[in-house]
Amino acid sequence: MAQERFKSRGGFILACVGAAVGLGDSLRFPGLCAKYGGGTFLLIYFVALIFIGIPVLNAEIALGRKFRAGAPRCMAQLNKKAEPIGWASCFNSLVVAVLYAGILGWIIAMLIKIIPLCKASTSMTHTEVSEYFFTDVLGEKLSPLVFVCIICAWVIMYLFLRGGARSLSKTAKFTVLIPVVLLVLLAVRGLLYENSGEALYALFVPDLKALGDAELWLNAVGQVFFSLSVLVGIMPAYGAYLPEKTNVFRDSMIIAFTDFFISVLSSAVLFTTLYGCGLQGEISQSGIVTAFMVYPAAISVVFGAGNTVFNSIAGVLFYTSLAMMAAQSSVSMIEAAANPLSEKFKIDKKKTVGVICIIGAAICAVFATPAGTAALDLADHFANYFNILLLGVAECILLGKYAKSVNLAGEINLYTRKLKMPAKPLIFSLKYLSPAALSCLTLWGFYHLIFVEGGLYGGYPLWAQAAFGWAVSLLVFASGFVILGISKRRRRRPVRIIKLRR
């Protein structure tokens, strides 16, 4: 891994921002703002970002730079028995990357269909427009269009990945900067609505009565971990690619606040657009509902019901930005696993990436069928929630326990001048605050699943939850031990000695 480097500090920052900014920032974050009183959610999120998110982000990047390795070897350097935790994080990232690739295929399909939808929407009901993707595009059988779009998504991701660190930083210039520009354009349109002030008030003004809602605190703190893409093996891998004399603390602050800015910008786009279209009551916490049901209905009337040209342009801009965010997030998650795997088994990285993409594309075929919606919902809830929380508790305990022995604060502040990360607050956050927050989120999640939903998430039958949920979690947590077992067998394999004839 030491051979690869980001060519510049700017490339590193853009790659990390691209990894952090994804569908969670652009879709789930605005939905949580709407559910929990707008400004109240933002306030708690910002506090959690300062005291929990930034310390973990700094620790992971610094750890990757110190050991010039991805999550598995970094965990092993802290404690030899902890290597499986690093592998589990990497494989969980692969699972989430497959889910994001499926969504990326859906987004590409919607990008193709948004112009015909805008033209046809003048003779369609609101319900028909909202359900257009799932009824007309995805359909009740294997959708050839969605299947081809998913294959295209994996080809695009392979092209992004094959060049290593330099390729990641180059593509991030497009997949980060272009979506931001497009979101700004959509935000400007939203601000032109007469009731944009009402939308911004709902987004930014805190509802102090909501501060007593424990669920609000848990979701705000949880979103910090999910938004920054920490605890999933990405940041140690990117830290290993850092150029020499990089100021980790300063750059981590830039990454964290840029991610926060883009989340707020996405929220402003959603709020102003839906308020302007009279659809504010349809803001959903579900990113899938927002992207494929709420936004199509809004886009079809964003410039007026009959203005199909400008509505189509707005739709193309929105789904283009969404596609770039999804692609960059998926690529980052694959990168978190590809390099450690190629390094562990001495396999060419391009071949490793190629194999991952082929297997991922084959699995993703399910998302071109009606079963894909349930599979996505279940696998996402377990991999992108329970797995990350459980792995996060273990990782943060390790970071807190060994922060002094590896001089983690010293590594973070190695090239800083005035502004530094204080050692004691860093250790306190890693050792106590983060594990406590993650443990509460995990317990709340299990409580909600068992006692509120009766053990059946989303009302899905037990077999579906077992197949797409619990089985996925079991495979993720077993992956570390499987990798170590295969590695030990390879080392013990006897070397054949071939005698040469005289």
Side-chain angles (χ1 to χ4, degrees), residues 224-276:
V224 169
F225 293 106
F226 304 141
S227 286
L228 290 178
S229 289
V230 292
L231 311 176
V232 291
I234 295 174
M235 294 307 166
Y238 281 12
Y241 299 153
L242 273 175
E244 296 295 333
K245 298 184 179 180
T246 300
N247 187 330
V248 170
F249 184 60
R250 178 188 60 194
D251 289 355
S252 295
M253 297 285 280
I254 293 172
I255 292 163
F257 289 121
T258 302
D259 175 72
F260 180 64
F261 166 76
I262 295 175
S263 296
V264 174
L265 177 61
S266 299
S267 301
V269 170
L270 180 71
F271 272 64
T272 55
T273 300
L274 295 191
Y275 268 77

Side-chain angles (χ1 to χ4, degrees), residues 119-249:
K119 290 180 179 179
S121 63
T122 53
S123 59
M124 298 168 69
T125 65
H126 174 74
T127 302
E128 288 173 335
V129 175
S130 296
E131 297 177 355
Y132 174 79
F133 176 80
F134 293 104
T135 56
D136 292 65
V137 180
L138 194 57
E140 297 180 357
K141 296 180 181 179
L142 176 72
S143 169
L145 172 64
V146 175
F147 180 75
V148 171
C149 290
I150 288 172
I151 299 301
C152 290
W154 280 101
V155 171
I156 291 168
M157 290 190 296
Y158 174 76
L159 295 175
F160 282 7
L161 284 159
R162 66 177 183 173
R166 291 187 178 183
S167 177
L168 289 169
S169 60
K170 285 180 180 179
T171 55
K173 293 177 182 178
F174 299 97
T175 56
V176 174
L177 297 178
I178 291 176
V180 170
V181 172
L182 298 181
L183 285 173
V184 168
L185 292 174
L186 292 171
V188 170
R189 170 64 189 116
L191 291 173
L192 295 177
Y193 286 112
E194 291 182 1
N195 61 348
S196 61
E198 183 185 349
L200 296 177
Y201 183 90
L203 174 60
F204 290 111
V205 177
D207 178 9
L208 298 181
K209 293 179 182 178
L211 288 173
D213 187 349
E215 191 175 309
L216 159 64
W217 287 82
L218 288 170
N219 274 300
V221 172
Q223 186 63 27
V224 169
F225 293 106
F226 304 141
S227 286
L228 290 178
S229 289
V230 292
L231 311 176
V232 291
I234 295 174
M235 294 307 166
Y238 281 12
Y241 299 153
L242 273 175
E244 296 295 333
K245 298 184 179 180
T246 300
N247 187 330
V248 170
F249 184 60

Side-chain angles (χ1 to χ4, degrees), residues 305-493:
N307 200 336
T308 57
V309 175
F310 283 98
N311 291 343
S312 298
I313 292 171
V316 170
L317 292 179
F318 173 73
Y319 285 106
T320 298
S321 66
L322 211 59
M324 288 185 173
M325 289 181 186
Q328 186 65 37
S329 292
S330 301
V331 163
S332 303
M333 291 173 188
I334 295 171
E335 179 66 23
N339 228 330
L341 281 170
S342 63
E343 186 181 61
K344 186 75 173 179
F345 296 105
K346 310 299 179 186
I347 304 171
D348 179 72
K349 187 182 170 184
K350 285 186 179 180
K351 290 182 180 179
T352 305
V353 169
V355 170
I356 290 173
C357 289
I358 290 169
I359 295 172
I363 296 171
C364 264
V366 69
F367 299 121
T369 70
T373 307
L376 175 65
D377 193 18
L378 285 164
D380 179 68
H381 187 66
F382 280 82
N384 220 3
Y385 185 82
F386 286 120
N387 290 6
I388 289 178
L389 295 178
L390 290 169
L391 290 167
V393 171
E395 181 182 316
C396 288
I397 289 173
L398 280 168
L399 289 172
K401 184 177 181 180
Y402 296 102
K404 283 186 179 179
S405 61
V406 297
N407 191 20
L408 201 53
E411 182 67 29
I412 293 170
N413 296 324
L414 190 58
Y415 298 105
T416 58
R417 294 180 181 178
K418 294 181 180 180
L419 190 64
K420 295 180 181 292
M421 169 67 78
K424 288 184 178 179
L426 171 70
I427 295 172
F428 180 78
S429 179
L430 295 175
K431 197 171 185 177
Y432 301 107
L433 281 181
S434 294
L438 291 164
S439 297
C440 288
L441 280 163
T442 306
L443 292 173
W444 177 80
F446 280 119
Y447 171 82
H448 197 271
L449 175 65
I450 296 168
F451 296 104
V452 178
E453 301 191 57
L456 296 176
Y457 171 73
Y460 295 110
L462 191 59
W463 70 265
Q465 183 169 293
F468 298 113
W470 296 110
V472 170
S473 291
L474 181 63
L475 288 171
V476 164
F477 286 104
S479 64
F481 300 100
V482 172
I483 290 292
L484 291 182
I486 295 172
S487 178
K488 287 178 181 178
R489 286 184 182 180
R490 285 169 63 94
R491 287 200 300 266
R492 290 173 183 171
R493 189 177 297 168

Side-chain angles (χ1 to χ4, degrees), residues 110-122 124 132 312:
M110 199 63 205
L111 181 60
I112 294 170
K113 287 289 188 176
I114 192 63
I115 295 177
L117 174 61
C118 288
K119 290 180 179 179
S121 63
T122 53
M124 298 168 69
Y132 174 79
S312 298

